[in-house]
């Protein structure tokens, strides 16, 4: 009997062990599945995040390009607040500010009160005066040339007997070399606008910038005999795409006796949209009328025929409103600067 009982109990024990083994296998399989899914998720999440971030970077790059185009065309400008923070504002708003400040200045002078007026943040006044004229001034500036449009512009300027300033880039062909000299010979001034005009390489490092500046400086000196120390940043002094800090560049310019100038009026001839000569003239005139010193950004690059055609109306209308057309050089007493040279030591 005992033996039979023992046999029964041993059989039951064996069945239990098989059952446990089955359970264990099921548990192991479940753990395996959980482990595999954890691995898959751990791999998938970073991949999805990378794709998402890449798309975001791509979108931001596009935004930066758009902002740059808007800034070069004067639609937006960079400003520095009292705490030293930098931000972008619409050029229209800056013009409003400037107009208000200019009005206060005028009133203060007329009324001979002691009220101190803050100078607009983008205007730097330096104590160098060339002539006694104290009225309104218009400075026509043409960037990115010379090109086939330079001569028609010079012809118009000469017809009205007004000078302008040409911020030139580096061109090594014989025709362009003659044009640098022609600009100076026909009564206008030259400013340097970099040799390459390639944001990526120009602002990649201080070495790149100084080498590029030396190259355009020497080309202009060789072709015109002029030792030009007037500069305009591609994108303006508040440009932010550069890897090198623009303030380091400004320090370099200050240390090497350069002065630079931005603009407070834009013809919008670099925005990429097709603007008629009439529309361009209207925009330049209305913006200029709200500035005592209008620094007008235009371009004499290839394809800027509307710019050439807009000039007579601009010159006639601004002269009728009491503006004197002047050329900019290193001694111009008031230069529009979005980032002020005097603030960068
Ligand atoms: Zn330019």
């Amino acid at each position: 009997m005992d033996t039979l009982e023992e046999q029964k109990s041993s059989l039951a024990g064996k069945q239990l062990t098989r059952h446990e083994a089955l359970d264990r296998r099921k548990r192991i399989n479940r753990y395996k599945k959980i482990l595999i899914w954890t691995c898959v998720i751990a791999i998938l999440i970073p991949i999805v995040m990378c794709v998402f971030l890449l798309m975001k970077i791509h979108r931001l790059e596009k935004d930066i390009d758009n902002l740059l185009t808007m800034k070069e065309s004067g639609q937006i400008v960079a400003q520095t607040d009292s705490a030293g923070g930098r931000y972008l504002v619409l050029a229209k708003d800056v013009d409003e500010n400037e107009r208000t400040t200019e009005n206060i200045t005028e009133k203060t002078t007329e009324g001979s009160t002691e009220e101190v007026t803050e100078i607009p943040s983008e205007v730097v006044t330096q104590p160098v005066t060339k002539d006694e004229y104290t009225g309104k001034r218009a400075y026509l500036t043409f960037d990115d040339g010379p090109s086939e449009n330079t001569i028609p512009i010079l012809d118009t300027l000469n017809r009205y007997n007004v000078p302008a300033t040409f911020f030139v880039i580096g061109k090594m062909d014989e025709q362009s070399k003659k044009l640098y000299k022609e600009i100076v010979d026909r009564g206008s001034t030259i400013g340097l606008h970099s040799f390459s005009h390639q944001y990526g390489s120009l602002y990649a490092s201080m070495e790149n910038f100084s080498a590029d500046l030396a190259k355009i400086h020497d080309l202009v000196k060789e072709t015109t005999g002029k030792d030009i120390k007037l500069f305009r940043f591609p994108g303006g002094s508040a440009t932010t795409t550069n890897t090198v800090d623009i303030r380091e560049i400004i320090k370099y310019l200050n240390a090497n006796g350069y002065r630079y100038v931005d603009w407070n009026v834009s013809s919008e001839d670099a925005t990429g949209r097709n603007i008629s000569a009439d529309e361009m003239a209207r925009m330049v005139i209305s913006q200029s009328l709200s500035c005592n010193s209008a620094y007008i950004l235009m371009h004499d690059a290839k394809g800027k025929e509307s710019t050439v055609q807009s000039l007579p109306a601009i010159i006639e209308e601004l002269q009728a409103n009491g503006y004197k057309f002047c050329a900019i050089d290193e001694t111009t007493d008031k230069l529009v600067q979005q980032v002020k040279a005097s603030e960068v030591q």
Side-chain angles (χ1 to χ4, degrees), residues 72 143-144 193 197:
E72 176 123 26
D143 290 10
D144 300 356
H193 191 43
H197 203 277

Side-chain angles (χ1 to χ4, degrees), residues 22 115 144 199 213 221 232 303 328:
L22 248 152
E115 193 183 339
D144 300 356
Y199 290 69
L213 183 65
K221 189 164 187 189
R232 172 172 279 167
I328 307 167

Side-chain angles (χ1 to χ4, degrees), residues 35-185:
L35 200 69
I36 288 167
W37 276 109
T38 311
C39 287
V40 168
I41 289 168
I43 292 166
L44 271 180
I45 286 177
I47 290 174
V48 169
M49 279 178 77
C50 278
V51 170
F52 174 74
L53 286 174
L54 279 173
M55 280 165 65
K56 201 146 183 139
I57 288 170
H58 184 69
R59 253 204 317 274
L60 283 172
E61 276 177 343
K62 265 190 174 172
D63 285 350
I64 287 170
D65 279 349
N66 286 341
L67 283 171
L68 261 182
T69 314
M70 284 175 79
K71 198 151 77 59
E72 176 123 26
S73 67
Q75 287 168 278
I76 52 167
V77 295
Q79 296 233 304
T80 309
D81 61 22
S82 50
R86 300 276 301 278
Y87 58 95
L88 291 168
V89 291
L90 285 170
K92 271 189 230 157
D93 299 340
V94 174
D95 282 350
E96 276 300 320
N97 268 342
E98 189 181 323
R99 216 176 314 149
T100 315
T101 318
E102 277 174 359
N103 284 343
I104 297 166
T105 315
E106 276 164 22
K107 275 184 203 152
T108 310
T109 320
E110 281 166 16
S112 309
T113 61
E114 290 298 309
E115 193 183 339
V116 179
T117 308
E118 204 187 319
I119 297 168
S121 66
E122 74 279 28
V123 175
V124 171
T125 311
Q126 293 184 15
V128 192
T129 358
K130 234 174 40 166
D131 59 38
E132 297 302 310
Y133 178 78
T134 54
K136 293 181 282 188
R137 292 175 188 260
Y139 300 94
L140 289 168
T141 68
F142 299 96
D143 290 10
D144 300 356
S147 80
E148 61 208 28
N149 282 320
T150 306
I151 291 289
I153 289 174
L154 286 172
D155 288 344
T156 308
L157 296 173
N158 287 161
R159 199 161 71 241
Y160 286 93
N161 199 24
V162 298
T165 305
F166 292 77
F167 288 92
V168 297
I169 59 170
K171 294 196 174 177
M172 298 302 283
D173 59 288
E174 287 311 309
Q175 177 60 18
S176 297
K177 285 182 175 178
K178 279 184 196 154
L179 285 171
Y180 295 124
K181 185 155 169 42
E182 183 109 14
I183 290 168
V184 176
D185 288 349

